[in-house]
PDB file of all heavy atoms in Angstrom:
ATOM      1  N   ASP P  95      29.905  36.134 -40.263  1.00  0.00           N
ATOM      2  CA  ASP P  95      29.437  35.022 -41.094  1.00  0.00           C
ATOM      3  C   ASP P  95      29.778  35.383 -42.579  1.00  0.00           C
ATOM      4  O   ASP P  95      30.095  34.456 -43.392  1.00  0.00           O
ATOM      5  CB  ASP P  95      27.976  34.774 -40.922  1.00  0.00           C
ATOM      6  CG  ASP P  95      27.646  34.470 -39.467  1.00  0.00           C
ATOM      7  OD1 ASP P  95      28.210  33.443 -38.975  1.00  0.00           O
ATOM      8  OD2 ASP P  95      26.870  35.175 -38.853  1.00  0.00           O
ATOM      9  N   ILE P  96      29.583  36.607 -43.002  1.00  0.00           N
ATOM     10  CA  ILE P  96      29.966  37.032 -44.348  1.00  0.00           C
ATOM     11  C   ILE P  96      31.020  38.109 -44.117  1.00  0.00           C
ATOM     12  O   ILE P  96      30.784  39.140 -43.451  1.00  0.00           O
ATOM     13  CB  ILE P  96      28.731  37.649 -45.092  1.00  0.00           C
ATOM     14  CG1 ILE P  96      27.731  36.483 -45.273  1.00  0.00           C
ATOM     15  CG2 ILE P  96      29.182  38.212 -46.437  1.00  0.00           C
ATOM     16  CD1 ILE P  96      26.413  36.942 -45.941  1.00  0.00           C
ATOM     17  N   ILE P  97      32.251  37.845 -44.653  1.00  0.00           N
ATOM     18  CA  ILE P  97      33.327  38.699 -44.495  1.00  0.00           C
ATOM     19  C   ILE P  97      33.615  39.546 -45.774  1.00  0.00           C
ATOM     20  O   ILE P  97      33.672  38.991 -46.831  1.00  0.00           O
ATOM     21  CB  ILE P  97      34.636  37.914 -44.121  1.00  0.00           C
ATOM     22  CG1 ILE P  97      34.361  37.085 -42.891  1.00  0.00           C
ATOM     23  CG2 ILE P  97      35.820  38.767 -43.990  1.00  0.00           C
ATOM     24  CD1 ILE P  97      35.378  35.949 -42.624  1.00  0.00           C
ATOM     25  N   ILE P  98      33.680  40.831 -45.589  1.00  0.00           N
ATOM     26  CA  ILE P  98      33.961  41.742 -46.742  1.00  0.00           C
ATOM     27  C   ILE P  98      35.134  42.562 -46.273  1.00  0.00           C
ATOM     28  O   ILE P  98      35.111  43.449 -45.523  1.00  0.00           O
ATOM     29  CB  ILE P  98      32.765  42.655 -47.048  1.00  0.00           C
ATOM     30  CG1 ILE P  98      31.460  41.885 -47.297  1.00  0.00           C
ATOM     31  CG2 ILE P  98      33.143  43.565 -48.230  1.00  0.00           C
ATOM     32  CD1 ILE P  98      30.267  42.676 -47.513  1.00  0.00           C
ATOM     33  N   LEU P  99      36.306  42.187 -46.925  1.00  0.00           N
ATOM     34  CA  LEU P  99      37.527  42.874 -46.651  1.00  0.00           C
ATOM     35  C   LEU P  99      37.671  44.160 -47.505  1.00  0.00           C
ATOM     36  O   LEU P  99      38.243  44.143 -48.617  1.00  0.00           O
ATOM     37  CB  LEU P  99      38.737  41.984 -46.941  1.00  0.00           C
ATOM     38  CG  LEU P  99      38.905  40.787 -46.028  1.00  0.00           C
ATOM     39  CD1 LEU P  99      40.133  39.976 -46.394  1.00  0.00           C
ATOM     40  CD2 LEU P  99      39.002  41.215 -44.596  1.00  0.00           C
ATOM     41  N   HIS P 100      37.038  45.180 -47.035  1.00  0.00           N
ATOM     42  CA  HIS P 100      37.020  46.497 -47.727  1.00  0.00           C
ATOM     43  C   HIS P 100      37.145  47.569 -46.765  1.00  0.00           C
ATOM     44  O   HIS P 100      36.545  47.500 -45.664  1.00  0.00           O
ATOM     45  CB  HIS P 100      35.701  46.590 -48.474  1.00  0.00           C
ATOM     46  CG  HIS P 100      35.671  47.667 -49.459  1.00  0.00           C
ATOM     47  ND1 HIS P 100      35.360  48.958 -49.163  1.00  0.00           N
ATOM     48  CD2 HIS P 100      35.781  47.659 -50.845  1.00  0.00           C
ATOM     49  CE1 HIS P 100      35.395  49.695 -50.240  1.00  0.00           C
ATOM     50  NE2 HIS P 100      35.653  48.946 -51.291  1.00  0.00           N
ATOM     51  N   ASN P 101      37.938  48.619 -47.049  1.00  0.00           N
ATOM     52  CA  ASN P 101      38.203  49.657 -46.045  1.00  0.00           C
ATOM     53  C   ASN P 101      36.998  50.455 -45.672  1.00  0.00           C
ATOM     54  O   ASN P 101      37.088  51.212 -44.706  1.00  0.00           O
ATOM     55  CB  ASN P 101      39.368  50.537 -46.451  1.00  0.00           C
ATOM     56  CG  ASN P 101      39.102  51.267 -47.747  1.00  0.00           C
ATOM     57  OD1 ASN P 101      38.011  51.333 -48.257  1.00  0.00           O
ATOM     58  ND2 ASN P 101      40.121  51.896 -48.240  1.00  0.00           N
ATOM     59  N   SER P 102      35.917  50.457 -46.386  1.00  0.00           N
ATOM     60  CA  SER P 102      34.713  51.176 -45.995  1.00  0.00           C
ATOM     61  C   SER P 102      33.715  50.320 -45.169  1.00  0.00           C
ATOM     62  O   SER P 102      32.667  50.899 -44.800  1.00  0.00           O
ATOM     63  CB  SER P 102      34.005  51.699 -47.251  1.00  0.00           C
ATOM     64  OG  SER P 102      33.398  50.682 -47.975  1.00  0.00           O
ATOM     65  N   VAL P 103      34.022  49.068 -44.974  1.00  0.00           N
ATOM     66  CA  VAL P 103      33.152  48.149 -44.222  1.00  0.00           C
ATOM     67  C   VAL P 103      33.658  48.102 -42.794  1.00  0.00           C
ATOM     68  O   VAL P 103      34.824  47.917 -42.489  1.00  0.00           O
ATOM     69  CB  VAL P 103      33.101  46.786 -44.874  1.00  0.00           C
ATOM     70  CG1 VAL P 103      32.258  45.832 -44.033  1.00  0.00           C
ATOM     71  CG2 VAL P 103      32.530  46.850 -46.282  1.00  0.00           C
ATOM     72  N   SER P 104      32.728  48.296 -41.800  1.00  0.00           N
ATOM     73  CA  SER P 104      33.090  48.189 -40.414  1.00  0.00           C
ATOM     74  C   SER P 104      33.366  46.784 -39.942  1.00  0.00           C
ATOM     75  O   SER P 104      32.933  45.864 -40.663  1.00  0.00           O
ATOM     76  CB  SER P 104      32.020  48.784 -39.569  1.00  0.00           C
ATOM     77  OG  SER P 104      31.764  50.174 -39.801  1.00  0.00           O
ATOM     78  N   LYS P 105      34.061  46.622 -38.832  1.00  0.00           N
ATOM     79  CA  LYS P 105      34.383  45.295 -38.356  1.00  0.00           C
ATOM     80  C   LYS P 105      33.131  44.490 -38.150  1.00  0.00           C
ATOM     81  O   LYS P 105      33.041  43.324 -38.518  1.00  0.00           O
ATOM     82  CB  LYS P 105      35.175  45.383 -37.027  1.00  0.00           C
ATOM     83  CG  LYS P 105      36.565  45.845 -37.205  1.00  0.00           C
ATOM     84  CD  LYS P 105      37.295  45.903 -35.869  1.00  0.00           C
ATOM     85  CE  LYS P 105      38.694  46.531 -36.072  1.00  0.00           C
ATOM     86  NZ  LYS P 105      39.405  46.593 -34.798  1.00  0.00           N
ATOM     87  N   PHE P 106      32.162  45.026 -37.550  1.00  0.00           N
ATOM     88  CA  PHE P 106      30.769  44.461 -37.450  1.00  0.00           C
ATOM     89  C   PHE P 106      29.852  45.428 -38.023  1.00  0.00           C
ATOM     90  O   PHE P 106      29.416  46.368 -37.349  1.00  0.00           O
ATOM     91  CB  PHE P 106      30.445  44.133 -35.949  1.00  0.00           C
ATOM     92  CG  PHE P 106      31.306  43.093 -35.374  1.00  0.00           C
ATOM     93  CD1 PHE P 106      32.330  43.371 -34.540  1.00  0.00           C
ATOM     94  CD2 PHE P 106      31.028  41.763 -35.657  1.00  0.00           C
ATOM     95  CE1 PHE P 106      33.128  42.358 -33.976  1.00  0.00           C
ATOM     96  CE2 PHE P 106      31.844  40.751 -35.114  1.00  0.00           C
ATOM     97  CZ  PHE P 106      32.887  41.095 -34.272  1.00  0.00           C
ATOM     98  N   HIS P 107      29.452  45.243 -39.259  1.00  0.00           N
ATOM     99  CA  HIS P 107      28.749  46.289 -40.067  1.00  0.00           C
ATOM    100  C   HIS P 107      27.241  46.134 -39.916  1.00  0.00           C
ATOM    101  O   HIS P 107      26.562  47.153 -39.616  1.00  0.00           O
ATOM    102  CB  HIS P 107      29.190  46.142 -41.443  1.00  0.00           C
ATOM    103  CG  HIS P 107      28.906  47.348 -42.263  1.00  0.00           C
ATOM    104  ND1 HIS P 107      29.870  48.298 -42.528  1.00  0.00           N
ATOM    105  CD2 HIS P 107      27.736  47.790 -42.888  1.00  0.00           C
ATOM    106  CE1 HIS P 107      29.277  49.347 -43.271  1.00  0.00           C
ATOM    107  NE2 HIS P 107      28.031  49.006 -43.476  1.00  0.00           N
TER     108      HIS P 107
END
Side-chain angles (χ1 to χ4, degrees):
D95 301 303
I96 297 176
I97 302 165
I98 304 175
L99 293 180
H100 192 278
N101 63 8
S102 70
V103 175
S104 295
K105 289 180 183 179
F106 293 100
H107 199 96

